[in-house]
Amino acid sequence: MAVFAEDRDEETGATAPRSLAPPPQASLLDRDVVSLCARQRHLLEFAFRLADNGHTHVGDVIALSRYTLLDLADGEADLVDGLERILGHLGLTLDQPAPGWTAPLPDVIDVQLD
């Protein structure tokens, strides 16, 4: 039986296995789109294209419509479908702006990439 590191909920004192605790929403939005798509080889070039167009984080990408992503993918619907699938696994959808979210500062991103 595997033993997981535990997170303690300060308010209730309850513990939850780290692998079952949902990640905080802000950390999902701060994740860069290239690392999000890194395991999907066919999506990696699309992720770089998104980043080149200023959509560097998940928070940027979820604010886009499917139509905009299709335009950036040169009409390749399978790329947009693959990205939607990944976002769906995170509980996110397209055309879902995150009010109040701002992208991390560049020096914070450099630390994440090291």
Side-chain angles (χ1 to χ4, degrees), residues 48-106:
F48 278 112
R49 192 176 311 155
L50 288 171
D52 287 344
N53 283 283
H55 310 293
T56 55
H57 295 86
V58 172
D60 298 321
V61 173
I62 64 169
L64 301 174
S65 68
R66 181 174 173 81
Y67 178 80
T68 301
L69 286 173
L70 276 169
D71 185 41
L72 290 168
D74 293 330
E76 294 185 45
D78 60 326
L79 295 176
V80 178
D81 292 340
L83 183 59
E84 278 186 304
R85 225 178 344 271
I86 291 173
L87 293 173
H89 287 293
L90 298 174
L92 302 170
T93 61
L94 295 177
D95 215 0
Q96 172 191 350
W101 175 81
T102 56
L105 298 172

Side-chain angles (χ1 to χ4, degrees), residues 23-64:
Q25 186 73 11
S27 69
L28 291 176
L29 300 179
D30 289 347
R31 190 164 177 195
D32 70 285
V33 72
V34 173
S35 68
L36 181 74
C37 297
R39 292 185 177 185
Q40 305 280 332
R41 190 177 192 119
H42 67 287
L43 291 179
L44 194 55
E45 183 179 335
F46 182 44
F48 278 112
R49 192 176 311 155
L50 288 171
D52 287 344
N53 283 283
H55 310 293
T56 55
H57 295 86
V58 172
D60 298 321
V61 173
I62 64 169
L64 301 174

